[in-house]
């Protein structure tokens, strides 16, 4: 019981409200929080469904709603406002108020309120506009719009108060259903007043009110279409805002387009759909223009112009015609087809000319281009496209060959993105590929005939003009020109059973073979197999006068050769047939030049300049065997005689050669002896020269040695003289030193004697006993030079010196060593 009571308690927090239906009276009360009440058993919670405009029963929690809240910068669109414009009171139960059903008001925030039963509200953010955005607004209540125009929330750009003033002036002209444009470059923020609503953008994915204007860069344009069907073309750079009744024309989702770039090799085919005047020129409706880069390099469309398209192609491009090629073009006014020859860049005016391709029949293709299956298939394809004429336009061929995928790719390439970094030209690379242009005009151009070297063709026009084209050269056929055909007999002998039809005539070094049956003067059948060498000379106008020149040649020469063979018996003709036939056909050789005149045919300028006799045979085998046997006997005899002659000639030549060999060998030996003699003489002269050279060399060697000995003697004498002088100087020096030494010794001896006299006998005895030996030794050393000068030994000198003294006995008893004496003597 407590839970049930709890469910019947309505507790509303602040900013909440609920609709409660009194089942006894049918009233719907609005309870606005903060509020608490216990509902009676007759009270039922309900909610209002804006779609069905009905009150639906619901549980208590679902009936509770939050306030309608619009913060600063937002506004509320309230439908079915109360007549007193007051919302339900807060914190109480409100009875149903009287509503202005079917009306709506705009209430700018900040605001918060509860709804009366039956009211609907939508909270919308205020509209912030950039300079390239705009709003489309509609007047749904002109009286309210005029009355509340000043209550609209409008924030204008800085420094643009005048434009706000202009917006206020608009209020005087407001009418029901009128559309207005609120531009972002005039108004930065906008909330509409009561009586005005902002129209949603139906093209936007979301519930969006702000619309994007079109920002045009340089070389861009857009098209605006009014409700009255008029168009407005606007060029950039500019921000484009439409009028309220205008819409942007879109193509492939794009609202802006690139200006069309033109040059001297491209143009646009324009149809004037409305009269206009440009400068001094006036154009009427229906006029056609062909605008190329010579007229204007950048083309912007205008409302008076309509572009004439061929398929998906808008621009007409010049076609490259290489040298030696050409293109056919049809004059749409006169119906004549002309030929444009290369080298040229040909841009036909589509108002007057149309490029066409000539369709050749199967017969013409086989004759003009023999064994060319590709050309045959191409012309068969053109015949399937063509209806009754013998030409098709380039447009028809392109439409036939264009694949759907290719056209889709071209359309994709034609799209222009809104996300552009800078100015650019987007060129279709199917016409002008970057850095490379591929020309494939094998079958697109005029019919080209290119005879080979030594061949010629006859070109005939429908007006009766004839022209011979001699190769090697290329010739472009005019549209009304064809090639004259000729017929050639085939087989050996030549017949017309399987003749060949062609348009090419071999005019140089032609070769025609044939086989002729003739009869000799003695009625013997002769078969002649020969080959003619033919040239065409003189005026070329005569070359094609004979349709089958092979038949004409062989028929005439068969008659002539038969007549020639008829003059000779078989023996003579069989033996000299080649000479007879060559003289008859080519004429006899000139004695000076050795050349033959040949045989000329005046009808077509054909001349036989040489003939080859390949074979001559007889019709009767027996006669031929007899002739062959006779000729074999003759040949054997001739061979035997020739053999003997060759033997004689061999012997003569052999002996002559032997003699020449002997003479040559003798001359060789004599030459060898003479050469040996000359060699011996030369060798003798060389030997004598060597001997004389050796004698002279020896004499000079001896004289040199003699001179050398004299020099050596002189040198020796000089050295002896110098040595003698040196010795004399040394001797004089030694003599002086000896004299000095002797003088010193004498002085010393005298001193010693003087000293000795002063010494007592006892002292002398003591000296003798103690130092005789030592004294003798020292005296010997001192007397050595004297001994050298006197040539005596030291002992002798010293003994002579001390003779008669007491030291003499000591000296006689003293024995000096041998080596000491020798050293002293030395």
């Amino acid at each position: 019981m407590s839970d049930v009571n709890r469910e019947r308690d309505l507790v509303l927090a602040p900013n909440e409200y609920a609709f409660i239906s009194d089942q006894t009276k049918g009233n719907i009360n609005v309870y606005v929080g903060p509020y608490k009440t216990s509902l009676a058993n007759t009270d039922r919670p309900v909610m209002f469904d804006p779609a069905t405009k009905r009150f639906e029963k619901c549980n208590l929690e679902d009936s509770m709603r939050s306030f309608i809240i619009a913060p600063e910068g937002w506004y509320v669109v309230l439908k079915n406002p109360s007549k007193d414009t007051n919302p339900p009171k807060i914190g109480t139960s409100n009875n149903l108020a009287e509503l202005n059903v079917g009306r709506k008001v705009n209430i700018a925030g900040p605001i918060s309120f509860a709804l009366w039963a039956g009211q609907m509200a939508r909270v919308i953010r205020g509209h912030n506009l950039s300079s390239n955005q705009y709003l489309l607004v509609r007047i749904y209540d002109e009286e309210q719009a005029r009355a509340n125009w000043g209550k609209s929330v409008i924030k204008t750009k800085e420094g643009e108060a005048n434009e706000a003033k202009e917006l206020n002036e608009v209020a005087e002209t407001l009418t029901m259903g009128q559309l207005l444009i609120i531009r972002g470059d005039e108004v930065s923020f906008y909330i509409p007043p009561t009586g005005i609503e902002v129209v949603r953008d139906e093209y936007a994915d979301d519930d969006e009110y702000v619309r994007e204007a079109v920002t045009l860069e340089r070389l861009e344009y857009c098209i605006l279409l009014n409700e009255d069907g008029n168009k407005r073309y606007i060029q950039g750079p500019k921000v484009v805002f439409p009028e309220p009744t205008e819409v942007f024309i879109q193509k492939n989702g794009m609202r802006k387009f690139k200006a069309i770039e033109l040059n001297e090799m491209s143009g646009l085919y324009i149809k004037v759909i409305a009269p206009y005047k440009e400068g001094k020129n006036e154009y009427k409706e229906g006029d056609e223009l062909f605008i190329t880069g010579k007229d204007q390099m950048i083309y912007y469309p205008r409302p008076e112009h309509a572009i004439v398209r061929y398929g998906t192609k808008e621009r007409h491009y010049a076609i490259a015609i290489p040298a030696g090629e050409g293109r056919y073009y049809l004059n749409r006014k006169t119906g004549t087809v002309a030929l444009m020859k290369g080298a040229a860049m040909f841009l036909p005016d589509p108002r007057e000319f149309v490029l066409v391709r000539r369709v050749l029949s199967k017969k013409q293709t086989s004759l003009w281009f023999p064994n060319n299956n590709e050309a045959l298939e191409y012309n068969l394809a053109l015949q399937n496209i063509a209806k009754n004429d013998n030409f098709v336009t380039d447009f028809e061929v392109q439409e036939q060959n264009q694949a759907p995928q290719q056209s889709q790719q071209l359309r994709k390439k034609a799209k222009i993105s809104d996300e552009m970094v800078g100015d650019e030209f987007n060129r279709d690379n199917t016409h002008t590929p970057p850095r490379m242009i591929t020309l494939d005009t094998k079958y697109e151009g005029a019919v080209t005939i290119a005879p080979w070297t030594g061949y010629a063709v006859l070109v005939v026009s429908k007006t009766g003009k004839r022209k011979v084209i001699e190769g090697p050269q290329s010739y472009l056929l005019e549209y009304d020109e064809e090639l004259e055909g000729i017929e050639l007999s085939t087989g050996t002998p030549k017949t017309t059973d399987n003749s060949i039809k062609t348009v090419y005539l071999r005019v140089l070094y032609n070769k025609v073979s044939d086989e002729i049956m003739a009869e000799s003067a003695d009625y013997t059948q002769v078969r002649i197999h020969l080959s003619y060498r033919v040239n065409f000379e003189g005026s070329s106008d005569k070359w094609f006068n004979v349709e089958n020149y092979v038949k004409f040649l062989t028929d005439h020469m068969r008659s002539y050769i038969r007549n020639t063979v008829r003059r000779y018996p078989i023996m003579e003709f069989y033996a000299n047939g080649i000479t007879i036939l060559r003289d008859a056909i080519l004429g006899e050789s000139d004695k000076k030049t050795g050349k033959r005149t040949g045989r000329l045919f005046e009808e077509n300028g054909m001349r036989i300049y040489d003939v080859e006799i390949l074979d001559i045979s007889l019709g009767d085998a027996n006669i031929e065997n007899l002739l062959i046997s006779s000729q074999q006997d003759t040949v054997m005899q001739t061979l035997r005689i020739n053999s003997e002659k060759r033997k004689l000639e061999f012997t003569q030549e052999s002996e002559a050669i032997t003699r020449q060999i002997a003479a040559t060998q003798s001359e060789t030996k004599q030459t060898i002896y003479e050469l040996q003699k000359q060699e011996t003489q030369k060798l003798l002269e060389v030997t004598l020269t060597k001997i004389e050279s050796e004698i002279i060399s020896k004499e000079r060697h001896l004289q040199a040695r003699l001179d050398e000995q004299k020099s050596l003697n002189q040198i020796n004498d000089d050295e002896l003289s110098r040595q003698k002088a040196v010795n004399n100087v040394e001797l004089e020096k030694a003599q002086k030193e000896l004299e000095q030494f002797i003088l010193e010794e004498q002085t010393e001896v005298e001193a010693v004697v003087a000293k000795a006299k002063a010494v007592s006998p006892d002292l002398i005895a003591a000296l003798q006993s103690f130092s005789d030996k030592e004294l003798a030794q020292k005296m010997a050393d001192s007397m050595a030079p004297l001994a050298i000068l006197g040539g005596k030994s030291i002992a002798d000198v010293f003994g002579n010196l001390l003779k008669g003294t007491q030291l003499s006995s000591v000296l006689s008893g003293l024995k000096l060593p041998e080596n000491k004496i020798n050293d002293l003597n030395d």
Side-chain angles (χ1 to χ4, degrees):
M1 190 65 181
S2 59
D3 294 339
V4 175
N5 292 333
R6 191 178 298 111
E7 291 179 359
R8 302 301 296 175
D9 291 341
L10 176 62
V11 180
L12 296 173
N15 296 329
E16 288 185 347
Y17 69 96
F19 295 148
I20 304 298
S21 174
D22 187 353
Q23 297 295 315
T24 60
K25 298 179 180 180
N27 294 331
I28 296 178
N29 299 323
V30 181
Y31 292 84
V32 182
Y35 186 76
K36 179 181 179 182
T37 184
S38 295
L39 300 179
N41 293 331
T42 58
D43 293 335
R44 292 288 183 270
V46 295
M47 63 180 181
F48 182 73
D49 187 355
T52 61
K53 309 296 189 294
R54 293 173 59 89
F55 289 93
E56 304 290 342
K57 294 180 181 180
C58 61
N59 56 37
L60 191 59
E61 291 183 357
D62 293 340
S63 67
M64 292 187 292
R65 293 284 186 271
S66 298
F67 279 15
I68 301 299
I69 300 175
E72 186 74 32
W74 293 63
Y75 68 97
V76 179
V77 179
L78 179 64
K79 292 183 179 180
N80 304 327
S82 62
K83 289 185 177 182
D84 58 2
T85 68
N86 293 323
K89 294 182 180 180
I90 298 175
T92 184
S93 172
N94 298 272
N95 295 326
L96 182 63
E98 188 176 357
L99 303 178
N100 289 323
V101 179
R103 294 186 178 276
K104 61 181 178 180
V105 295
N106 297 337
I107 305 172
I111 191 171
S112 173
F113 60 91
L115 295 178
W116 291 105
Q119 286 185 333
M120 293 174 285
R122 182 184 181 93
V123 180
I124 302 174
R125 182 191 294 270
H127 306 289
N128 293 294
L129 299 178
S130 300
S131 60
N132 62 342
Q133 294 177 332
Y134 68 96
L135 295 174
L136 179 64
V137 299
R138 181 189 294 112
I139 309 299
Y140 65 87
D141 189 342
E142 58 186 40
E143 294 181 359
Q144 293 291 330
R146 293 193 190 100
N148 298 296
W149 182 261
K151 298 180 181 180
S152 60
V153 180
I154 300 177
K155 302 295 182 181
T156 60
K157 301 290 185 182
E158 294 182 0
E160 296 183 358
N162 293 331
E163 296 182 357
K165 181 179 179 181
E166 293 178 0
L167 291 175
N168 293 329
E169 294 176 354
V170 175
E172 301 178 359
T173 61
L174 298 179
T175 59
M176 179 71 73
Q178 182 180 357
L179 296 174
L180 300 176
I181 295 294
I182 307 299
R183 297 172 45 158
D185 58 348
E186 300 172 352
V187 176
S188 62
F189 182 79
Y190 179 75
I191 294 178
T194 300
I196 299 176
E197 64 177 351
V198 179
V199 182
R200 292 189 183 93
D201 186 1
E202 63 273 14
Y203 298 105
D205 297 335
D206 300 330
D207 192 7
E208 185 62 49
Y209 294 91
V210 178
R211 302 166 185 257
E212 298 291 333
V214 173
T215 302
L216 296 179
E217 300 182 20
R218 196 172 300 277
L219 301 178
E220 290 183 345
Y221 69 95
C222 68
I223 306 174
L224 290 168
L225 176 63
N226 205 331
E227 291 178 351
D228 58 5
N230 291 321
K231 294 180 180 179
R232 187 159 60 100
Y233 291 77
I234 301 177
Q235 302 176 10
K238 191 174 183 181
V239 178
V240 181
F241 295 95
E243 296 297 330
T245 57
E246 289 180 332
V247 294
F248 289 100
I249 291 181
Q250 297 187 21
K251 181 179 180 181
N252 298 324
M254 298 292 113
R255 298 189 299 172
K256 61 180 181 178
F257 315 99
K258 273 287 188 181
I260 300 177
E261 177 208 4
L262 298 177
N263 52 42
E264 296 182 356
M265 295 178 290
S266 63
L268 293 173
Y269 187 11
I270 304 297
K271 189 80 170 181
V272 179
I273 58 177
Y276 71 99
K277 183 177 181 180
E278 185 177 13
K280 298 181 180 180
N281 299 323
E282 293 185 1
Y283 300 97
K284 298 180 296 182
E285 185 177 355
D287 289 347
E288 293 184 349
L289 307 176
F290 185 56
I291 301 175
T292 66
K294 296 180 180 179
D295 305 317
Q296 58 185 92
M297 301 298 289
I298 305 296
Y299 173 77
Y300 289 96
R302 54 186 304 157
E304 299 86 3
H305 285 180
I307 296 179
V308 181
R309 292 185 178 88
Y310 285 88
T312 59
K313 301 297 182 182
E314 293 182 351
R315 275 174 282 189
H316 294 257
Y317 293 91
I319 57 173
I321 306 177
E325 297 185 10
R327 295 296 296 268
Y328 296 118
Y329 60 96
L330 171 68
N331 191 318
R332 300 171 60 183
K333 298 179 180 179
T334 62
T336 59
V337 179
L339 173 64
M340 173 60 71
K341 297 181 179 180
M345 293 298 294
F346 181 44
L347 179 61
D349 190 337
R351 298 174 296 176
E352 187 174 358
F353 304 110
V354 177
L355 290 172
V356 296
R357 300 186 187 183
R358 185 175 179 179
V359 181
L360 301 180
S361 64
K362 184 176 181 180
K363 180 179 178 181
Q364 289 174 328
T365 308
S366 300
L367 285 176
W368 299 0
F369 307 100
N371 300 324
N372 193 333
N373 295 328
E374 185 180 2
L376 183 60
E377 292 176 0
Y378 173 78
N379 282 276
L380 289 176
L382 292 184
Q383 290 176 13
N384 294 330
I385 301 174
K387 297 178 181 178
N388 297 323
D389 298 328
N390 58 352
F391 65 84
V392 293
T393 63
D394 269 14
F395 173 72
E396 292 175 334
V397 176
Q398 293 172 2
E399 286 293 320
Q400 186 73 18
N401 297 332
Q402 189 175 18
Q405 294 181 354
Q406 293 177 350
S407 61
Q408 291 177 4
Q409 292 176 358
L410 291 177
R411 286 197 295 271
K412 290 180 180 179
K413 291 179 181 178
K415 288 185 178 180
I416 301 177
S417 174
D418 286 334
E419 300 177 357
M420 294 185 180
V421 178
D423 297 338
E424 63 179 0
F425 290 104
N426 185 15
R427 299 182 179 179
D428 196 339
N429 61 9
T430 57
H431 298 285
T432 55
R435 298 187 182 181
M436 180 182 70
I437 296 178
T438 303
L439 299 178
D440 186 7
T441 58
K442 184 176 182 180
Y443 295 108
E444 295 179 0
V447 178
T448 304
I449 298 298
W452 304 291
T453 302
Y455 285 85
V457 294
L458 176 62
V459 179
V460 180
S461 67
K462 294 182 179 180
T463 59
K465 295 181 180 179
R466 302 171 78 246
K467 186 187 303 182
V468 175
I469 306 301
E470 187 175 359
Q473 65 172 310
S474 295
Y475 180 76
L476 301 177
L477 291 180
E478 298 287 345
Y479 187 76
D480 62 340
E481 290 181 338
E482 295 184 356
L483 300 181
E484 184 74 16
I486 59 175
E487 190 173 359
L488 304 177
S489 297
T490 60
T492 302
K494 291 292 185 287
T495 63
T496 57
D497 296 338
N498 295 315
S499 59
I500 298 175
K501 293 184 179 180
T502 183
V503 295
Y504 297 96
L505 173 64
R506 182 71 178 267
V507 297
L508 292 178
Y509 315 120
N510 201 346
K511 185 176 180 181
V512 180
S513 60
D514 195 14
E515 188 176 280
I516 304 172
M517 292 298 297
E519 191 177 74
S520 64
D522 48 7
Y523 306 102
T524 302
Q525 296 292 326
V526 180
R527 179 182 288 105
I528 303 171
H529 189 195
L530 45 73
S531 177
Y532 305 104
R533 297 298 180 93
V534 179
N535 282 343
F536 284 79
E537 303 174 353
S539 176
S540 59
D541 295 336
K542 299 166 57 178
W543 291 353
F544 290 86
N545 287 348
V546 178
E547 182 180 5
N548 191 341
Y549 77 91
V550 175
K551 184 176 183 300
F552 180 72
L553 169 66
T554 55
D555 288 350
H556 178 77
M557 294 309 299
R558 285 172 187 174
S559 176
Y560 184 77
I561 290 174
R562 289 192 185 104
N563 187 32
T564 301
V565 175
R566 185 72 176 176
R567 300 175 187 174
Y568 296 93
I570 191 59
M571 288 288 293
E572 184 178 355
F573 181 78
Y574 196 78
N576 302 308
I578 295 177
T579 303
I580 294 172
L581 291 176
R582 288 181 63 84
D583 290 342
I585 297 171
L586 304 175
E588 295 182 358
S589 301
D590 192 318
K591 295 181 179 179
K592 295 181 179 180
T593 61
K595 296 182 179 180
R596 300 177 184 266
T597 59
R599 179 167 294 274
L600 177 65
F601 293 81
E602 296 291 344
E603 293 81 358
N604 62 348
M606 178 173 56
R607 180 186 293 275
I608 301 175
Y609 69 90
D610 198 2
V611 64
E612 295 177 359
I613 311 301
L614 302 177
D615 185 29
I616 298 177
S617 59
L618 302 181
D620 192 340
N622 295 327
I623 297 175
E624 186 174 9
N625 291 334
L626 290 175
L627 289 174
I628 293 173
S629 178
S630 176
Q631 288 182 353
Q632 289 177 351
D633 292 339
T634 303
V635 170
M636 290 178 65
Q637 293 174 1
T638 302
L639 291 175
R640 191 176 295 111
I641 293 172
N642 291 336
S643 177
E644 295 297 329
K645 288 182 178 180
R646 285 195 294 273
K647 185 176 181 181
L648 175 60
E649 291 175 357
F650 174 76
T651 303
Q652 293 175 349
E653 291 294 331
S654 178
E655 293 299 327
I657 290 172
T658 302
R659 290 194 297 270
Q660 291 178 3
I661 290 173
T664 303
Q665 290 177 349
S666 177
E667 291 177 0
T668 302
K669 290 181 179 180
Q670 292 178 6
T671 303
I672 291 173
Y673 295 153
E674 184 66 27
L675 292 174
Q676 290 178 352
K677 178 180 178 182
Q678 294 177 2
E679 185 178 357
T680 303
Q681 290 177 353
K682 292 294 182 180
L683 182 60
L684 179 60
E685 292 176 359
V686 170
T687 302
L688 292 176
T689 302
K690 288 182 177 180
I691 293 173
E692 291 177 357
S693 177
E694 290 178 357
I695 293 172
I696 294 172
S697 177
K698 289 181 178 181
E699 290 178 353
R700 291 180 179 177
H701 184 67
L702 293 174
Q703 183 63 35
R705 290 188 65 184
L706 181 60
D707 295 338
E708 183 181 4
Q709 291 298 324
K710 291 180 178 181
S711 299
L712 292 174
N713 293 334
Q714 182 66 35
I715 291 170
N716 191 27
D717 292 341
D718 293 340
E719 288 180 353
L720 292 175
S721 298
R722 286 195 297 273
Q723 187 66 32
K724 185 177 181 180
V726 171
N727 293 334
N728 290 333
V729 171
E730 291 180 353
L731 183 60
E732 290 177 359
K733 181 180 179 181
Q735 184 66 31
K736 289 181 179 181
E737 290 178 354
L738 180 61
E739 290 176 356
Q740 182 68 26
F741 180 74
I742 293 172
L743 179 60
E744 290 178 357
E745 289 297 331
Q746 288 177 357
T747 302
E748 185 178 357
V749 169
E750 291 175 358
V752 171
V753 172
K755 289 179 180 181
K757 288 179 177 182
V759 177
S760 62
D762 297 330
L763 180 59
I764 294 171
L767 289 171
Q768 290 178 350
S769 59
F770 291 100
S771 59
D772 287 341
K773 293 183 179 180
E774 184 178 357
L775 178 60
Q777 182 67 31
K778 290 181 178 180
M779 291 183 67
D781 293 334
S782 299
M783 296 300 291
L786 298 176
I788 294 171
L789 297 175
K792 296 180 181 182
S793 65
I794 297 174
D796 293 339
V797 173
F798 194 60
N800 292 328
L801 180 62
L802 299 179
K803 188 176 178 180
T805 67
Q806 292 180 358
L807 291 176
S808 61
S809 60
V810 178
L811 186 61
S812 61
L814 182 60
K815 295 183 178 179
L816 293 174
E818 287 287 338
N819 54 359
K820 188 67 178 177
I821 295 173
N822 293 333
D823 292 337
L824 293 173
N825 292 331
D826 294 336

